[in-house]
Amino acid sequence: MRILFIVPYMPNAIRTRPYNLLRALARNGHELTLLTLAQNAAEMDDAEALRSWGIRVVARPLSRARSLANSAAALAGSEPLQAAYCWQPALAADLTTLLRGEAFDVVHVEHLRGARYGRLARNEIARSASRTPVVWDSVDCISHLFRQASVHSASRFGRAIARLELPRTERFEGQLLGEFDQILATSPVDREALAQLGNGRAVASAPIRVLPNGVDTDTFRPGAFEDREPDTLILSGKMSYHANVTMAQFLVKQVMPRIWARDPAVKVLLVGKDPAAEVRGLGRDPRVTVTGTVPDMQTFMRRATIALAPIVYSAGIQNKILEAMACGAPVVTTPAAIAGLDVRPGEHLLVADGAAEMADVALCLLNSPERRQALSSAGLAYVREHHSWLTIAQRLALIYDSR
C-alpha cells in the first residue's frame, strides 16, 4: 500500500510506537511517506535513519516558541492545548500539496496532537471526492490520563494543568470519534475510555480497534543472568513526563524507605532522558543514581536485578515493562500497569498494590534467584509471542484494508 503517515513529533527510538511501526511497515513492503516535525537539529538527524529504510520523509521544524504561541492561542478558546501544541502551517501546506498531487491508499495520523492534521486530510479528501480512508491512532485516551493526573500527579502544577485540560480534552476527543474511518488505541482500557466519550458516535461511524505496542527484540534482548548486578532496581522512562516523575517520587520516597529499613545495600537506577528537577533531587541519596540521557536503555536493563514500575497513574501500554521483560529483567509493577497486557501475574511478572506490598514483593524477589530466573524466562517468552512489531504491523495493514 501507499501510506501517508503523519506524526506530530519525530519518530525515533524513544518515541517507540511510530518509529517501530514505520520500520515494520517498510520491512513488510509498503511504500511510506512520513510527514513529521523536528524540535531541534538532532531530531532532523533522526530523519536520516528513517530515510535509510526507504521512507520518504517530509520534516518541518517546530520551535518551542511556536508551540508556546499555539498553546496560548488555544488557551483563549475551547480547544485543548494538546491539540494545538504541534500545529505548523508549513507542514499543513505540505499535507495539502501531497493530497492534491498524489494518490494514497490510506492516511494514518498519530495522537491527539496530530488530530488537526487528520481533520485537514479528511477535508482535502472530501473536497476531491476521493475515498481514501483516514485512520486516527489516538495511542492513549488523553482524557483518561488527565482524569488520573488531576488527582494523583505529584506536581501541584501538573494537577492544575490536568484539571484545566480535562473538560476541553473530553469534549475534543468525543468529537474526533465521529470524524475518522478507523480509530486505534493501544489498550482495551483506552478503547473503553474513548468509547464512553463518544456517546455512541464511535460505534455508529467507526470502530475503535486495539493495536498494542511491541518490542524491538533485536535491540532489547537479555544478557547473561549471572551478569546482573546484585541488589539493583531500575525504573526507566522519559523522566520529564509527569506520570514518570510521579512514579519516581513514589518509588524513592515511599517504597525505598521500607526496603532500605531491611536491606540498606539496595541501589536504585532512575534511567531516562530529561529528568525533571524533582527527579534530579532524588539523586541526593547516594543509593539513587539519576542517569539522564543514556546511549541505550537495554544496557541498564541487563544490569539490573529487578525492574520496578510502581505506576501511580497511566494510559495505554507501558513500554518500560515490555522492554524490561525483553531484556530478561524480572518485573514488579502495579495493577494499573497490566490492564493492557495479556499477562498472568505470578507467571510473567509480579503485581503489588501500594508501597508496603511493593517493598515486600521486591525484597522477596531480591532474595530468590530461582524465582527471578523463572520470571525472566516467562516474561521473555511472553513479549516474543505477543509483542512482535512485524506482527503488529501486519495487523495494522489489515485494519487499513478493512473498509
Side-chain angles (χ1 to χ4, degrees):
M1 283 183 282
R2 297 194 72 219
I3 303 167
L4 180 56
F5 210 97
I6 306 167
V7 185
Y9 30 72
M10 181 63 69
N12 54 33
I14 294 172
R15 294 166 179 140
T16 182
R17 184 175 175 88
Y19 181 80
N20 284 291
L21 282 177
L22 285 163
R23 182 168 66 165
L25 287 167
R27 288 172 66 181
N28 286 344
H30 301 290
E31 183 180 338
L32 290 147
T33 297
L34 169 67
L35 266 65
T36 190
L37 297 165
Q39 294 183 320
N40 50 51
E43 290 193 351
M44 279 294 190
D45 291 341
D46 288 337
E48 294 310 310
L50 305 172
R51 292 188 176 103
S52 73
W53 304 337
I55 298 170
R56 176 171 59 162
V57 180
V58 179
R60 293 285 185 174
L62 180 69
S63 68
R64 181 167 177 78
R66 175 171 286 281
S67 292
L68 291 174
N70 289 343
S71 300
L75 195 60
S78 60
E79 190 176 63
L81 309 188
Q82 288 270 334
Y85 189 84
C86 289
W87 182 250
Q88 168 57 282
L91 192 72
D94 292 332
L95 174 57
T96 299
T97 299
L98 280 168
L99 288 174
R100 291 182 181 182
E102 301 182 31
F104 295 94
D105 296 305
V106 64
V107 177
H108 179 122
V109 185
E110 181 169 297
H111 205 268
L112 184 64
R113 292 187 177 190
R116 271 193 180 183
Y117 298 104
R119 283 178 161 176
L120 175 61
R122 180 204 62 191
N123 291 339
E124 280 297 321
I125 289 166
R127 185 194 62 81
S128 66
S130 167
R131 299 186 64 186
T132 305
V134 181
V135 176
W136 176 48
D137 182 4
S138 71
V139 184
D140 305 327
C141 176
I142 304 301
S143 299
H144 175 59
L145 181 65
F146 283 156
R147 197 171 299 114
Q148 298 172 83
S150 68
V151 176
H152 298 296
S153 175
S155 162
R156 184 179 299 174
F157 178 75
R159 293 193 299 272
I161 288 294
R163 289 166 185 165
L164 169 69
E165 281 281 86
L166 180 56
R168 296 163 173 254
T169 307
E170 287 178 329
R171 182 169 56 251
F172 193 76
E173 284 185 319
Q175 293 168 354
L176 292 174
L177 296 180
E179 298 182 12
F180 297 104
D181 299 281
Q182 300 277 1
I183 299 164
L184 308 177
T186 57
S187 77
V189 171
D190 290 84
R191 176 182 60 193
E192 294 308 313
L194 282 169
Q196 289 175 13
L197 298 172
N199 295 321
R201 278 194 294 271
V203 175
S205 59
I208 305 172
R209 301 178 186 270
V210 173
L211 188 79
N213 282 344
V215 185
D216 176 6
T217 52
D218 293 332
T219 299
F220 291 91
R221 60 186 188 277
F225 186 77
E226 61 272 14
D227 290 343
R228 294 189 178 274
E229 296 181 5
D231 297 327
T232 303
L233 310 179
I234 187 171
L235 187 156
S236 64
K238 185 179 180 183
M239 290 298 167
S240 60
Y241 178 51
H242 54 90
N244 288 340
V245 173
T246 297
M247 178 166 43
Q249 291 182 289
F250 176 78
L251 172 61
V252 176
K253 294 181 177 180
Q254 298 190 46
V255 178
M256 291 312 302
R258 292 173 164 87
I259 291 177
W260 285 327
R262 293 151 67 182
D263 188 348
V266 177
K267 303 180 292 294
V268 179
L269 301 174
L270 302 179
V271 185
K273 68 176 294 190
D274 302 332
E278 300 94 324
V279 176
R280 294 195 302 271
L282 299 174
R284 286 192 287 267
D285 190 305
R287 296 166 293 189
V288 178
T289 300
V290 181
T291 67
T293 302
V294 295
D296 60 79
M297 188 71 74
Q298 59 271 23
T299 298
F300 289 85
M301 293 288 192
R302 295 186 195 117
R303 281 174 49 189
T305 320
I306 301 172
L308 288 188
I311 292 165
V312 180
Y313 66 91
S314 66
I317 286 180
Q318 296 298 313
N319 295 324
K320 57 175 62 65
I321 291 176
L322 299 180
E323 291 168 356
M325 294 168 79
C327 288
V331 173
V332 180
T333 189
T334 53
I338 64 168
L341 300 175
D342 193 24
V343 291
R344 290 187 290 274
E347 178 182 344
H348 300 120
L349 45 64
L350 299 181
V351 175
D353 194 4
E357 186 177 350
M358 177 152 285
D360 288 343
V361 170
L363 282 164
C364 287
L365 198 53
L366 285 171
N367 292 317
S368 177
E370 297 82 7
R371 186 78 170 114
R372 295 200 306 272
Q373 180 72 75
L375 288 167
S376 172
S377 298
L380 177 61
Y382 167 80
V383 295
R384 287 179 172 173
E385 180 180 356
H386 294 277
H387 292 278
S388 158
W389 278 117
L390 283 174
T391 301
I392 291 168
Q394 290 168 355
R395 289 173 56 182
L396 178 57
L398 291 174
I399 291 171
Y400 289 160
D401 212 31
S402 62
R403 58 185 188 276

